[in-house]
Amino acid sequence: MFLALLELRAARGRFLLMGSVVVLVAALVGIVSGFTTGLGDDTISALRRLPAAQLVFSSDARSDQFARSLLDEKTAAAWRADAGTGTAPLGVSITRGTTDRGAEVDLAAFGVEPGSFLAPSVTEGHGLADAPQDSIVMSAKLADEGVRVGDTLVIDRLGIELRVVGLTERSSYGHVPVAYVPLKTWQRIRFSTPGAPAAAAAAIPDQFSALALRTAPTDTTVTTLDKRHSTTTLTKEKAYEAAPGYTGERVTMTSIQVFLYLIAPLVVGAFFAVWTVQRQPELALLRAMGASRRRLLAHTVIQAALVVVLGTVAGAVLAGAVGLLVGEQVPFSLPAGTLVATMCTVAAVGLAGTALTLRRVTHADPLTMLGANR
C-alpha cells in the first residue's frame, strides 16, 4: 500500500492524466444516462402515471397503437362484461392551441371519462368531474409555457374552445405536455374536419384509442378475449413502445452507453499495460528482494482502484453538476439511484480493464530482468 502511494505521488502527472480520462468517461456515461432517463420521462411520463395495468388496442394496429388504434363502445362494453375488472376508455392525440392571452402551445390531448379511474387528480383548480363539458385539466408543463387556470384554449383549425379548469402534476407524451379533456371533447378534437359545418358534429364517431384495464386478468383470459373481440392487449410497460420516438430514443441512447462501457476498460487497461511495461525492472527488483506475487498484484490493484474510483466519483459529481446546470431546460433526469448504479458499473468495467496487466505483474522474472541490461 505504501509503495503504491509512493508511485502515485512520484508519477502524479501520468496518473492525473489517466484520472482525468476516467473522470470524463464517467461524467459522459452519467450525462448520457441522465438524458436517457429524461427523454424517456418526457416521452411516456403520462402513460406511466396512468392507474392502469393493461391497455387494449384494436388488432389491426400493430405499431404506433395510440395513433392507429380505434375501438368503439360496443367492444368496450363486451370487454367490460367479460374481463372481470374495471375498464375505462382512453383517447390520445397530439394537437395545437392558442390561449386567449396569445400563448401558442402544443399539447397531447388525453380523452378520459370524467368519473373514471383515469381522470387525473388536480393540484390547483377543479377536476373534470366538477367542470362543464368543454373543460381541460392541464399538466404543469403547460403552465411553464404561459397557460393559466381560467384561460380559454382554442384548438387550431377546429375552433374548439376549452376552458382550463385545473392543474395536475408534470407529465408529457411524445415530448409534448399532456392535457386531460372529457372523452366527448377528445372525439371532437380527433375526428372533426377543419372548416366543416357545425351540423357535422352529429357524425363524430363514438370511438377512442384504447381501453384501460384497472387490474390485469389472467393471461388465458386476455388471450381468449383478444381472439373473441379482435383486440390486442399489452401491459402498460409494453405499451410505452407505442409512444412516438420512445423505442428509437432508447435504442440510440443505450447503444451510446454500451460503447462507453466498452471504451472505459480498454482505456484504463491500455494505460496500466504501458505503465506495467515501464515498471518491469522495478517489479523484477521487488521480486528479487523477496516480494511475493500476491504483494505485487495487490500493489497494482490498489493503484488502479484509487485512480478508477476517485476518477469515477469526480465524474459523478461532474454529471450531477451538469444536471443542475441544465435544470428543466432540456429533458434530463438523473436520480441518485440511477447515478450510483451507473457509476458502480463504470468503476467495475474500468477495474476489469486492469486485468489485462496482471499477468505481466505476476510473471515478472527477477533473474531475467536483473540481467536484462548487461
Side-chain angles (χ1 to χ4, degrees):
M1 178 68 178
F2 179 70
L3 182 59
L5 294 177
L6 283 179
E7 284 194 340
L8 286 173
R9 181 178 179 182
R12 55 183 175 272
R14 298 179 185 180
F15 283 106
L16 283 174
L17 178 61
M18 185 59 221
S20 299
V21 174
V22 175
V23 169
L24 293 177
V25 171
L28 186 55
V29 173
I31 292 170
V32 170
S33 180
F35 279 118
T36 302
T37 305
L39 287 170
D41 288 343
D42 206 45
T43 304
I44 62 167
S45 59
L47 299 179
R48 186 179 290 136
R49 291 191 174 96
L50 288 177
Q54 293 180 328
L55 293 167
V56 181
F57 300 95
S58 59
S59 59
D60 57 344
R62 295 179 174 84
S63 63
D64 300 328
Q65 285 92 339
F66 287 107
R68 299 181 179 181
S69 171
L70 285 176
L71 297 174
D72 55 26
E73 182 55 36
K74 180 180 178 181
T75 303
W79 259 93
R80 192 176 299 117
D82 298 339
T85 182
T87 64
L90 172 67
V92 178
S93 60
I94 296 178
T95 185
R96 289 182 55 86
T98 305
T99 68
D100 51 357
R101 294 189 297 108
E104 298 181 356
V105 294
D106 296 316
L107 65 150
F110 273 39
V112 299
E113 290 182 338
S116 72
F117 61 87
L118 294 182
S121 58
V122 296
T123 58
E124 179 183 337
H126 304 284
L128 293 177
D130 304 322
Q133 181 63 34
D134 287 342
S135 299
I136 181 174
V137 172
M138 66 175 184
S139 161
K141 293 190 67 174
L142 281 173
D144 297 340
E145 299 183 17
V147 184
R148 299 289 181 267
V149 174
D151 287 356
T152 298
L153 181 70
V154 180
I155 301 300
D156 291 356
R157 299 189 305 160
L158 300 177
I160 299 174
E161 296 185 357
L162 304 175
R163 182 76 171 175
V164 181
V165 297
L167 181 71
T168 187
E169 58 188 0
R170 301 177 65 86
S171 58
S172 56
Y173 169 80
H175 305 298
V176 179
V178 164
Y180 297 88
V181 298
L183 185 62
K184 293 295 184 182
T185 302
W186 177 85
Q187 289 168 344
R188 291 172 57 203
I189 296 173
R190 172 68 172 79
F191 298 111
S192 293
T193 302
I204 292 177
D206 188 15
Q207 295 179 322
F208 41 87
S209 303
L211 184 69
L213 306 182
R214 192 164 197 169
T215 58
T218 63
D219 293 340
T220 303
T221 302
V222 168
T223 302
T224 301
L225 294 181
D226 278 339
K227 290 181 179 179
R228 181 183 303 169
H229 305 302
S230 298
T231 56
T232 300
T233 302
L234 302 176
T235 63
K236 186 173 67 173
E237 291 72 19
K238 188 67 175 177
Y240 294 164
E241 299 176 5
Y246 178 75
T247 301
E249 290 172 356
R250 297 288 291 183
V251 171
T252 300
M253 302 305 288
T254 302
S255 299
I256 295 173
Q257 280 186 288
V258 170
F259 276 107
L260 289 174
Y261 286 140
L262 294 175
I263 290 170
L266 294 178
V267 172
V268 175
F271 171 81
F272 278 99
V274 174
W275 176 246
T276 301
V277 170
Q278 293 176 338
R279 293 165 56 238
Q280 283 295 304
E282 288 82 356
L283 293 174
L285 179 60
L286 289 173
R287 289 285 292 123
M289 294 174 63
S292 65
R293 287 187 174 90
R294 181 178 297 179
R295 187 180 183 90
L296 294 182
L297 186 63
H299 164 78
T300 302
V301 171
I302 288 171
Q303 283 185 339
L306 287 173
V307 173
V308 172
V309 172
L310 292 178
T312 302
V313 170
V317 173
L318 182 58
V322 170
L324 293 176
L325 181 63
V326 299
E328 296 178 354
Q329 301 174 10
V330 295
F332 186 95
S333 176
L334 192 58
T338 302
L339 179 60
V340 170
T342 301
M343 293 302 110
C344 287
T345 305
V346 172
V349 297
L351 289 174
T354 63
L356 301 172
T357 69
L358 298 183
R359 186 176 183 278
R360 282 185 172 273
V361 173
T362 57
H363 286 72
D365 188 349
L367 295 178
T368 302
M369 296 308 301
L370 287 175
N373 293 326
R374 294 181 181 175

